[in-house]
Amino acid sequence: MTTIRFYLPLFLSLVAWQAAVTAGLAPAEMVPAPLAVFEGLWRLLRGGELLRHVGVSMYRQLAGFMLAAVIGTALGIGMARLEGVRLVFEPLLKLLYPLPKSALIPLLILWFGIGHNSKIFAIFLGCLLPVVLSVYNGSRGIPRWLVWSAQSLGTRPYRLLWKVYFPATLPDLLSGLRIGLALSFTLLVSSEFLIARAGLGFLIQSVGEMGDYAAMFAAILVVALIGFAADRLFVRLMARALRWQEP
Amino acid sequence: MPHIEIVGITKVYEQPAAPPIVALDGVDLTVEHDQFVSLVGPSGCGKSTLLHLVGGFISPSTGEIRIDGRPVTGPGPDRGIVFQNFALFPWLTVRGNVEYGLAEKGIPRRERRKVAQHFIDMVKLTGFEEVYPHRLSGGMQQRVALARMLACDPQILLMDEPFGALDAQTRLILQEELKEIWRQARKTVLFVTHDVREAVFLSQRVVVMTARPGRIKEIVDTDLPADAPRLAVDALAEDIWATLREEVLKAVVPGDRREQAP
Amino acid sequence: MHATPVLRRALGLGVLKRWASVIALFALWEGVCRARLVDPFLLPALSEVLRRGAGELWSGELVAFTALTLYRTLAAFVLAGAIGIAIGVSMSLSAPLRWFGEPVVSFAFPIPKIALMPIFVLWFGVFDLSKIVMTTVAAVVTVISATHLGTRHIDKYLLWSAQSLGTHRRALFWKIVIPAALPAILTGLQIALPMCLIVSIVTEMITGGRGLGGYMIYASRFAESDKVFLGIFLTALIGYVLTEGLAMARRRLLAWHPEETVMV
Ligand SMILES: Nc1ncnc2c1ncn2[C@@H]1O[C@H](COP(=O)(O)OP(=O)(O)OP(=O)(O)O)[C@@H](O)[C@H]1O
Ligand SMILES: [Mg+2]
């Protein structure tokens, strides 16, 4: 209920937009009114086309994101704990850090072609850095007396990783993942705009090229809603996993 | 064979861009099995450092510490500790914290529950089992740390001002509890406190340390009979306080700032 | 053993060790290509890329492309910064603006704004304007939210002490609110700047044509991998210069801030 009230201005804007177009204040050609957009959405949904593209995009996003989460966490903790790992990867990350990740898309297209892999890789590489960096910084700052407590309570060295290092790093890991999550959708749509035969980015472009702007707006709306919903969901999970933290 | 042997211990903290700090300088101390020894001394004299050395968390610059004749090489569940800053696991509830050591020992769930509940009740935290540490007051956190250590049933108890954050009443109750546990379960205890009366009441020997660099100034035998009159406790405490007082006055040096470490 | 640090520094061995893995990676790259273990269409030798780079720079076209990308990125950054700070501060000052702005920002923050590009192309054509607008929109949300966050909860004791020292209510804004929010605002700008580069490169790729993004995507379509790598190097260089420049500005501006001395 409070959520609806909070987002009320957004709904009111939709109404104003509709009114403006109906009153002829904005050209319906260039700015399809909300009702037209919903009609376009219905058209895309009815044919089952939309769901297929959503499926393709979500597969790519999840694959790239999960890969980055797992490998990034391992790498981040490894760098904080093992001098050798840090020596090898720190300079590589420093090199990769200032590079705008979207600049890698042309190379990935060249290497992995038009299908899933070029997108999955772009997302993986883009999300990897924020995850590694936040895990690395987080697990370097673990108070030593937490480790001492665990040791004096009989925790074996190999279990320290799971019993202390992982939970103590979790807040940083999750905030790194949240940054990665937003980035993953940007990279997904960017790479699907550039070259693809399926996926939401492809759908937006193909209906746009046909001049069906209502459907184009609808597909963009779907992308926005998915990105938004994913973030909300993640924030929920995060709050749940970090109940133990001081607010 | 003595339980804990501290032989010629010196601890120097090297720090980047600052002169090294000599925290302990030639400390020798022997603690027999089942003995209760208290450490008193001015703030910053190295009491925590000594406890951390016996715990095996840090290593001495010179000298050696032996437990049952074997040199300490690292931490272990034979030596339980209550840190000065509690060091509870913030991601575990009160119950989770108290059960932690039992779980690491591989004790089955039901058994674990029972033991943990016993100690939670003992430190008067019944009803707070599912609460996370950040919701507890300092005194409550300190009691969780105490329960967490006791539940693990270590041979040696290292306690760094374990009652420091408690109100006077709880403090008295827990002193009695601790004395009872020590009497029944036969533990060796190394106990740091600022409260001389508490030291005299609980322990058999009180070690008075000098201002930094920490050395042992005097060891006082305080093994009073259980039914000793209050006056005897007070008189002994008075004596020790007189010795300690000089050191405390010496220790008040300006600019002695340090990390709020355990 | 104690003389070695001096010796090592003189020989630059410390630097060598610190960057060993990068050097190894580059050496591996060159070696693999020289040994013809990979298709040169997929991975040109590093030396090949550098040679190509020297040639292309000489021709001047690539310099023009780089300048164009830089112009679009910076134009969008300046716009996003000015608009974002203005909106963010206004939201903190006015309840109605907050009522409208907070849900908009909260919705716009996590969505992939690049998806709006086709709309801007529809409205503003395929040239500079659509790219700059797109990039500005993508970055402005971050600036608004950082500014709003920084100005919303100013320590009330700061305001009270300033007032009791004679600061007029209306001067509080410039004297207290902005300096107190500066770390948060700068953090927002530091996130926005690389974002501007990321997005403007993508917009160039999408619409094709001039600029580093267009250069790379064409090279990729014609399988000219050396050009693709050249583009990557140049964007990384721009990214490095821009973020370092802003970080330097931050250290200047925030010399008074206790956090800053620790963070370096
Ligand atoms: N990690 C450390 N690095 C540098 N110096 C330290 C460190 N830990 C302790 N010290 C120094 O060693 C000295 C002894 O510290 P310690 O914590 O053992 O004192 P303490 O007797 O426990 O004091 P208190 O009664 O205040 O707890 C102090 O002067 C402190 O500044
Ligand atoms: Mg201490």
Side-chain angles (χ1 to χ4, degrees):
Chain A
M1 206 56 220
T2 45
T3 321
I4 293 179
R5 257 187 54 189
F6 177 73
Y7 286 112
L8 186 66
L10 286 180
F11 296 113
L12 293 182
S13 315
L14 282 186
V15 174
W17 173 6
Q18 179 69 45
V21 177
T22 316
L25 295 176
E29 267 298 281
M30 305 276 269
V31 193
L35 288 177
V37 173
F38 287 132
E39 190 263 333
L41 185 64
W42 175 237
R43 252 185 297 131
L44 289 177
L45 261 176
R46 209 177 33 192
E49 203 183 6
L50 183 64
L51 283 183
R52 186 171 68 85
H53 290 293
V54 168
V56 169
S57 285
M58 287 315 292
Y59 164 69
R60 291 168 178 166
Q61 190 274 336
L62 277 175
F65 182 68
M66 291 298 178
L67 214 56
V70 172
I71 295 181
T73 308
L75 204 56
I77 294 188
M79 278 171 61
R81 298 266 289 150
L82 304 169
E83 182 67 7
V85 178
R86 190 184 64 80
L87 270 179
V88 171
F89 284 98
E90 199 172 49
L92 292 178
L93 291 180
K94 268 191 188 156
L95 201 69
L96 206 61
Y97 185 72
L99 176 73
K101 301 305 162 286
S102 55
L104 289 174
I105 297 176
L107 183 68
L108 296 173
I109 291 174
L110 193 64
W111 280 358
F112 298 108
I114 191 171
H116 289 315
N117 289 354
S118 55
K119 286 97 197 163
I120 292 175
F121 248 85
I123 293 170
F124 165 68
L125 285 177
C127 298
L128 188 65
L129 216 57
V131 176
V132 174
L133 286 180
S134 46
V135 171
Y136 175 52
N137 287 330
S139 46
R140 267 192 319 176
I142 296 177
R144 59 207 168 114
W145 44 83
L146 286 184
V147 178
W148 290 356
S149 280
Q151 285 173 328
S152 80
L153 292 167
T155 313
R156 291 172 202 292
Y158 67 91
R159 285 183 52 87
L160 275 181
L161 199 65
W162 177 244
K163 300 301 276 188
V164 178
Y165 278 84
F166 182 73
T169 315
L170 200 59
D172 293 286
L173 167 64
L174 290 179
S175 61
L177 277 177
R178 191 176 170 206
I179 297 171
L181 188 65
L183 201 55
S184 75
F185 283 105
T186 299
L187 288 168
L188 173 75
V189 176
S190 303
S191 55
E192 285 180 347
F193 272 162
L194 288 172
I195 189 163
R197 277 198 227 98
L200 284 167
F202 168 80
L203 178 67
I204 293 171
Q205 264 197 335
S206 62
V207 291
E209 272 160 21
M210 290 187 301
D212 187 353
Y213 295 127
M216 182 177 95
F217 272 64
I220 292 173
L221 184 69
V222 170
V223 171
L225 286 175
I226 291 178
F228 179 67
D231 185 65
R232 286 292 101 181
L233 187 68
F234 192 83
V235 170
R236 282 269 173 90
L237 291 177
M238 201 163 150
R240 211 177 147 60
L242 299 180
R243 258 172 328 192
W244 50 271
Q245 261 195 331
E246 280 173 71
Chain B
M1 185 188 294
H3 202 176
I4 308 173
E5 290 168 275
I6 299 169
V7 189
I9 286 292
T10 305
K11 177 67 189 175
V12 182
Y13 286 109
E14 306 285 351
Q15 350 182 57
I21 292 180
V22 183
L24 294 172
D25 185 15
V27 172
D28 295 282
L29 183 68
T30 306
V31 182
E32 297 299 330
H33 277 272
D34 310 337
Q35 222 177 25
F36 197 125
V37 175
S38 289
L39 296 173
V40 297
S43 182
C45 75
K47 305 181 294 291
S48 298
T49 302
L50 191 59
L51 240 52
H52 296 169
L53 285 163
V54 177
F57 308 115
I58 55 180
S59 41
S61 307
T62 64
E64 191 175 57
I65 294 178
R66 290 190 286 269
I67 306 292
D68 282 325
R70 276 188 303 277
V72 169
T73 52
D78 57 327
R79 285 151 289 151
I81 185 161
V82 177
F83 286 108
Q84 198 169 353
N85 68 350
F86 327 139
L88 298 177
F89 300 117
W91 51 85
L92 297 180
T93 58
V94 168
R95 194 198 297 288
N97 267 284
V98 179
E99 279 187 11
Y100 181 94
L102 301 165
E104 287 302 286
K105 275 189 191 162
I107 289 172
R109 210 185 166 75
R110 292 179 63 127
E111 173 81 20
R112 212 152 78 194
R113 273 274 146 114
K114 231 181 72 199
V115 177
Q117 193 62 52
H118 169 76
F119 286 101
I120 291 172
D121 295 342
M122 191 201 97
V123 297
K124 311 281 178 291
L125 283 174
T126 320
F128 288 92
E129 289 85 354
E130 305 308 330
V131 174
Y132 286 101
H134 77 264
R135 300 275 202 98
L136 301 176
S137 73
M140 292 160 97
Q141 292 185 22
Q142 193 160 37
R143 284 180 272 154
V144 179
L146 188 68
R148 181 176 72 170
M149 176 192 70
L150 292 174
C152 215
D153 195 25
Q155 286 306 299
I156 297 177
L157 311 184
L158 306 171
M159 307 173 82
D160 201 345
E161 296 184 38
F163 303 145
L166 302 184
D167 59 283
Q169 295 84 358
T170 318
R171 196 174 175 129
L172 285 177
I173 296 172
L174 286 180
Q175 283 172 358
E176 296 281 1
E177 289 280 3
L178 178 62
K179 198 154 187 179
E180 204 48 43
I181 288 173
W182 168 70
R183 224 180 258 138
Q184 284 179 4
R186 306 273 67 181
K187 306 278 185 197
T188 306
V189 185
L190 211 48
F191 188 93
V192 172
T193 179
H194 275 293
D195 182 342
V196 179
R197 259 199 67 99
E198 176 174 273
V200 174
F201 170 70
L202 286 172
S203 48
Q204 297 167 299
R205 289 198 294 158
V206 174
V207 177
V208 183
M209 294 181 65
T210 64
R212 213 183 71 211
R215 298 192 193 94
I216 292 180
K217 185 181 174 87
E218 196 181 338
I219 299 180
V220 185
D221 189 350
T222 52
D223 199 5
L224 299 170
D227 56 353
R230 278 184 66 101
L231 259 170
V233 174
D234 284 342
L236 210 51
E238 203 61 43
D239 282 351
I240 294 172
W241 173 236
T243 322
L244 189 55
R245 200 182 135 81
E246 301 165 26
E247 296 301 323
V248 171
L249 289 178
K250 257 192 257 170
V252 187
V253 245
D256 185 18
R257 292 178 56 197
R258 60 204 191 91
E259 156 196 26
Q260 204 37 57
Chain C
M1 278 312 280
H2 273 90
T4 44
V6 181
L7 196 67
R8 283 177 46 160
R9 199 166 317 143
L11 293 174
L13 283 182
V15 177
L16 217 59
K17 188 184 166 201
R18 213 163 342 125
W19 292 97
S21 57
V22 170
I23 297 165
L25 184 74
F26 283 161
L28 183 73
W29 175 0
E30 184 70 25
V32 163
C33 294
R34 286 277 170 92
R36 306 209 158 275
L37 292 176
V38 291
D39 189 342
F41 281 117
L42 293 183
L43 187 68
L46 179 59
S47 52
E48 204 54 48
V49 175
L50 295 179
R51 184 143 29 127
R52 183 69 174 247
E56 294 262 317
L57 284 181
W58 196 245
S59 81
E61 190 197 40
L62 196 52
V63 178
F65 281 4
T66 309
L68 196 59
T69 299
L70 201 57
Y71 156 69
R72 288 171 180 152
T73 303
L74 285 177
F77 176 67
V78 170
L79 279 172
I83 299 173
I85 293 174
I87 295 182
V89 169
S90 321
M91 270 168 62
S92 294
L93 293 180
S94 133
L97 271 180
R98 201 157 47 238
W99 171 80
F100 186 78
E102 273 183 349
V104 174
V105 170
S106 136
F107 180 71
F109 197 79
I111 70 173
K113 271 127 348 233
I114 188 72
L116 299 173
M117 185 60 188
I119 297 181
F120 293 130
V121 171
L122 174 68
W123 288 349
F124 305 118
V126 293
F127 298 107
D128 268 358
L129 187 58
S130 63
K131 295 179 181 120
I132 294 178
V133 169
M134 176 68 246
T135 310
T136 309
V137 167
V140 81
V141 183
T142 305
V143 182
I144 295 177
S145 117
T147 308
H148 181 44
L149 222 76
T151 47
R152 197 174 36 173
H153 301 295
I154 300 278
D155 183 359
K156 63 174 183 287
Y157 294 101
L158 275 184
L159 296 177
W160 288 351
S161 33
Q163 277 177 313
S164 79
L165 291 169
T167 311
H168 195 270
R169 263 193 75 85
R170 289 164 70 189
L172 278 181
F173 179 72
W174 286 111
K175 288 253 170 74
I176 306 297
V177 176
I178 287 293
L182 202 57
I185 294 175
L186 284 174
T187 302
L189 291 178
Q190 279 179 303
I191 300 172
L193 184 56
M195 204 185 275
C196 284
L197 186 56
I198 292 181
V199 176
S200 53
I201 295 246
V202 173
T203 59
E204 287 173 354
M205 288 179 188
I206 292 172
T207 54
R210 292 137 57 78
L212 281 177
Y215 176 82
M216 282 191 280
I217 203 77
Y218 279 131
S220 154
R221 290 206 177 123
F222 294 105
E224 291 177 288
S225 55
D226 46 357
K227 280 186 166 186
V228 175
F229 272 101
L230 201 55
I232 292 177
F233 282 179
L234 280 173
T235 29
L237 188 69
I238 298 184
Y240 181 76
V241 171
L242 289 180
T243 45
E244 277 304 299
L246 196 57
M248 239 156 72
R250 182 194 179 99
R251 285 198 284 274
R252 275 280 169 85
L253 283 169
L254 292 182
W256 52 271
H257 200 273
E259 224 171 70
E260 295 308 308
T261 44
V262 191
M263 268 179 35
V264 204

